[in-house]
Amino acid sequence: SGRKSSAQGVSPGISWSDGEFAQLLKITFAPSTQAHFSWEQGEYRDSKKLAVFSYSVAAAHSQLVVDTQIARAGVWQNTALTSAYQGFVYIDPESGAIFRLIANTAVIPSNYAMKHGNTVLDYGPTAIAGNTYFLLTSAATYISTKQYDSLFRKTFANYRKFEANSKIVVGTDKT
């Protein structure tokens, strides 16, 4: 569009990653993506035996939108592409819990600003208010464009329980 941009408070020319918490997991397993899964191997991770599956999602069914910025004539411009992607999922065969999800972009057109990208999401048991939940513990995203490379590492910790109590009272109007 030729206009200067700053997506969600991010300065032009700087990469960012978002949606790690649940979006990638959600779109990978959505029936509409028609992901193709294949058994790869068994693997131990933190003394836990996991089932490792490879997967691929064709661009025609993908919901993975890759946004980058590129400088053209001194102006930062947003570019977006719905990408095919592939990767691996590490699953506990006993509980069905996902321990790791890896996604790599595939078939990026040569005229696009981004050359490739990949994301690794790690999940683990997390105690919150006396209960254990399986939640995202870390994320790493690598993005390579024609002008720069970016690596993002995020750690998710100190989860908290938030709750509110309310009461609905039905009765006569006392006004």
Side-chain angles (χ1 to χ4, degrees):
S1 68
R3 59 186 162 81
K4 292 183 180 181
S5 66
S6 180
Q8 301 173 7
V10 177
S11 301
I14 297 175
S15 295
W16 66 93
S17 69
D18 63 9
E20 291 92 355
F21 197 80
Q23 187 64 19
L24 184 57
L25 189 63
K26 177 183 171 185
I27 65 173
T28 300
F29 287 94
S32 61
T33 65
Q34 299 180 21
H36 178 266
F37 291 88
S38 297
W39 166 257
E40 288 294 321
Q41 64 189 22
E43 183 174 308
Y44 282 91
R45 185 171 168 82
D46 298 327
S47 72
K48 182 89 171 153
K49 182 147 185 166
L50 302 176
V52 181
F53 294 86
S54 62
Y55 70 90
S56 61
V57 176
H61 303 290
S62 178
Q63 298 174 42
L64 180 66
V65 178
V66 179
D67 293 308
T68 62
Q69 293 182 334
I70 189 166
R72 290 193 179 116
V75 177
W76 287 102
Q77 297 176 335
N78 286 340
T79 59
L81 170 75
T82 301
S83 176
Y85 63 104
Q86 59 202 17
F88 299 92
V89 61
Y90 296 65
I91 301 172
D92 176 3
E94 292 177 17
S95 69
I98 295 174
F99 274 73
R100 173 172 270 189
L101 179 68
I102 299 173
N104 301 302
T105 56
V107 194
I108 302 287
S110 62
N111 65 342
Y112 189 64
M114 186 172 144
K115 294 188 294 187
H116 67 273
N118 61 48
T119 297
V120 178
L121 305 178
D122 286 317
Y123 298 84
T126 305
I128 303 175
N131 294 308
T132 301
Y133 302 94
F134 223 78
L135 298 173
L136 185 62
T137 58
S138 67
T141 299
Y142 175 74
I143 298 170
S144 180
T145 73
K146 293 177 181 175
Q147 295 177 325
Y148 57 86
D149 293 339
S150 298
L151 174 63
F152 305 93
R153 291 178 191 226
K154 297 178 183 180
T155 301
F156 299 87
N158 300 320
Y159 284 101
R160 303 278 195 274
K161 177 182 178 181
F162 294 95
E163 65 181 273
N165 294 316
S166 61
K167 183 178 179 182
I168 298 175
V169 178
V170 179
T172 60
D173 186 10
K174 296 186 180 185
T175 57

